[in-house]
């Protein structure tokens, strides 16, 4: 009996987050990880060990400069892009032109020029690009969308959204490449694209105009000295002043982090454990944004990257009532934790110590409030990762989806990626100019596409 042909996939960028896709593809019978592409042979070897553990053969290893050759010689028809954000388009565009289906980690890219290039390529080739917004697949977020779509609070008139990153998770963006805005777009693009996509999706609407303020007030050298938090070291590994610093990351203490980063430093020179209170840091850690949508609703949004607890609150005010969601992902953080996750403490992968709960409250006009039952999880990004992988690549085994709720809504397209990106780009522009920014001035035509 002949076997069903398998899609030949390439994973481009073999860092921390890429593990989700390497494992996810290896578990699914219709897909084969045929190739890996990364500047670091050490990181690619780590991912080949993941494939071996899943009973799969080793993928070939390719340097980024030979990406186009790889597509042809390995007969690739599926590309997953998990590189540094500023390099996404470097792989998305040629893969689309080669006829591949492309899945990219969020954000789709980091600036308006790259965004336009991607959108133009999708239009010209007619090929498929999907942005991996896993938060859409969190059952709690799906419940919010269902209630709003069913008119539980009537017409949504305004949204208030507060997202808090605790001092363990938030600090991590300031010790790695994300601290450089030209590589990550800053937290407004890298992190908040999740949140902006959620609101766009929840409201089934597109952002029209953005205004905001942002600053670096907690991390970085000047703030660290001002608050008495700075220790005198450049990177944590081997630095005595970092030994008892609660903001320091011990790469050598975790097998995965050591294998992916410390052991790979000789390949590309990337240092993963920089001092969060040293420079240069070109991104913000405290951001306030106001967004107006095409149908008239407004959103006030605040991201704090140095909170004692982690989670978020989002409130919708409507013509027939109010919907309130509060999620505590961690109630507090102790100063030191020995990482035990076999995936290197990928944020959202495992439940945080001191994890809290989730509460969704519907408050209709002239009626008592209603506590809405929820299905919650703290691991796998609230249960979103396996459901997203099912929607992207099919179930782990035929007829056995990871969760029966998977596939109940479409995955995010290049337009969704551009609309989420546009809010972050507009906010960044506001931080520089102090004036409001229209989305169409940054990404022409995306509102109507």
């Amino acid at each position: 009996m002949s076997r069903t042909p398998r899609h030949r996939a390439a994973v481009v960028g073999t860092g921390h987050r890429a593990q989700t896709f390497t494992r996810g593809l290896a578990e699914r019978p219709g897909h084969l990880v045929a190739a890996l592409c990364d500047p670091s042979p050490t990181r690619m070897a780590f991912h080949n060990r993941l494939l071996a553990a899943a009973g799969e053969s080793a993928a070939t290893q390719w340097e980024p400069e030979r990406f186009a050759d790889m597509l042809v010689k390995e007969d690739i028809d599926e590309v997953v892009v998990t590189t540094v954000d500023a390099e996404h388009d470097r792989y998305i565009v040629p893969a689309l032109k080669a006829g591949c289906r492309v899945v990219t980690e969020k954000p789709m890219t980091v600036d308006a020029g790259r965004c336009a290039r991607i959108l133009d390529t999708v239009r010209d080739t007619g090929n498929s690009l999907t942005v991996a917004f896993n938060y859409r697949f969190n059952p709690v977020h799906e419940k919010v969308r269902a209630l709003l779509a069913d008119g539980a609070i009537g017409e949504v008139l305004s949204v208030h959204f507060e997202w808090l990153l605790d001092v363990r998770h938030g600090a991590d963006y300031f010790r790695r490449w994300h601290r450089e805005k030209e590589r990550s777009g800053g937290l407004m693009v890298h992190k908040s694209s999740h949140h902006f996509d959620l609101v766009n999706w929840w409201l089934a609407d597109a952002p029209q105009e953005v205004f905001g303020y942002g600053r670096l007030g907690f991390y970085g050298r000047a703030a660290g000295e001002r608050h008495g938090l700075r220790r005198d070291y450049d990177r944590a590994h081997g630095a005595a002043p970092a030994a008892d610093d609660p903001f320091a990351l011990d790469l050598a203490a975790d097998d995965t982090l050591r294998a992916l980063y410390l052991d790979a430093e000789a390949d590309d020179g990337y240092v993963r454990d920089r001092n969060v209170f040293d420079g240069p840091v070109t991104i913000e850690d405290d951001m306030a944004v106001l967004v107006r949508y095409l149908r008239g609703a407004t959103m006030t949004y605040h991201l704090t990257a140095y909170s004692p607890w982690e989670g978020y609150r989002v409130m919708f005010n409507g013509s027939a009532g109010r919907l309130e969601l509060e999620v505590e992902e961690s109630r507090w953080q102790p100063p030191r934790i020995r990482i035990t996750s076999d995936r290197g403490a990928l944020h959202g992968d495992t439940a945080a110590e001191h994890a809290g709960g989730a509460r969704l409250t519907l408050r209709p006009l002239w009626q008592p409030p209603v506590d809405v039952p929820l299905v919650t999880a703290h691991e796998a990004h609230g249960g979103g990762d396996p459901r997203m992988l099912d929607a992207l690549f099919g179930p782990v085994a035929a007829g056995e989806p990871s969760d029966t709720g998977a596939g109940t809504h479409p995955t995010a397209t290049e337009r969704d990626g551009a609309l989420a990106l546009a809010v972050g780009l507009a906010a960044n522009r506001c931080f520089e100019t102090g004036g409001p920014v229209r989305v169409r001035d940054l990404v022409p035509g995306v509102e109507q596409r």
Side-chain angles (χ1 to χ4, degrees), residues 37-85:
C37 183
D38 194 280
S40 170
T42 304
R43 285 194 290 271
M44 289 189 285
F46 177 90
H47 279 257
N48 265 327
R49 292 195 292 275
L50 298 180
L51 293 174
E56 291 287 291
S57 57
T60 58
Q61 298 182 186
W62 293 79
E63 298 174 352
E65 291 72 20
R66 300 190 64 206
F67 176 72
D69 291 340
M70 179 201 73
L71 294 177
V72 175
K73 293 184 178 181
E74 298 295 342
D75 194 24
I76 300 299
D77 58 14
E78 192 167 62
V79 173
V80 178
V81 179
T82 58
T83 64
V84 169
D85 299 343

Side-chain angles (χ1 to χ4, degrees), residues 95-222:
L96 289 171
K97 289 182 177 178
C100 300
R101 178 209 181 189
V102 182
V103 174
T104 183
E105 254 300 326
K106 62 84 201 162
M108 189 170 73
T109 187
V110 298
D111 62 40
R114 289 178 171 98
C115 180
R117 182 175 178 234
I118 291 170
L119 293 176
D120 289 345
T121 304
V122 172
R123 184 193 63 238
D124 294 344
T125 62
N127 290 331
S128 171
L129 174 63
T130 304
V131 183
F133 283 124
N134 56 357
Y135 280 14
R136 287 187 176 205
F137 294 87
N138 181 322
V140 173
H141 300 157
E142 289 186 330
K143 186 65 175 179
V144 170
R145 178 176 165 89
L147 287 168
L148 296 176
D150 288 344
I153 62 169
E155 178 188 355
V156 179
L157 303 174
S158 66
V159 183
H160 177 70
F161 200 164
E162 178 186 28
W163 200 286
L164 300 161
L165 298 171
D166 65 35
V167 284
R168 186 167 305 282
H169 185 182
D172 207 34
Y173 294 106
F174 294 84
R175 63 171 67 99
R176 60 194 196 203
W177 58 264
H178 301 79
R179 65 197 249 156
E180 303 169 33
K181 187 172 283 192
E182 67 176 16
R183 304 182 78 191
S184 69
L187 290 177
M188 282 286 94
V189 167
H190 177 82
K191 180 62 180 174
S192 297
S193 63
H194 266 317
H195 316 151
F196 300 145
D197 176 69
L198 276 178
V199 177
N200 296 344
W201 179 63
W202 279 330
L203 299 182
D205 205 351
Q208 184 177 41
E209 191 170 38
V210 178
F211 180 72
Y213 291 111
R215 66 178 297 206
L216 181 65
F218 185 82
Y219 300 104
R221 187 182 187 107

Side-chain angles (χ1 to χ4, degrees), residues 11-16 18 35-49 59-65 83-84 87 90-91 256-271:
V11 177
V12 188
T14 53
H16 215 288
L36 301 168
C37 183
D38 194 280
S40 170
T42 304
R43 285 194 290 271
M44 289 189 285
F46 177 90
H47 279 257
N48 265 327
R49 292 195 292 275
T60 58
Q61 298 182 186
W62 293 79
E63 298 174 352
E65 291 72 20
T83 64
V84 169
E87 296 190 356
R90 175 182 177 184
Y91 304 101
T256 298
L257 293 176
R258 183 176 63 250
L260 280 173
Y261 299 109
L262 195 59
D263 294 348
E265 286 182 11
D267 295 342
D268 59 6
Y270 173 53
V271 175

Side-chain angles (χ1 to χ4, degrees), residues 15 78 142 299 331 370 395 438:
E78 192 167 62
E142 289 186 330
M299 174 182 69
R331 300 182 65 245
V370 178
R438 293 179 300 182

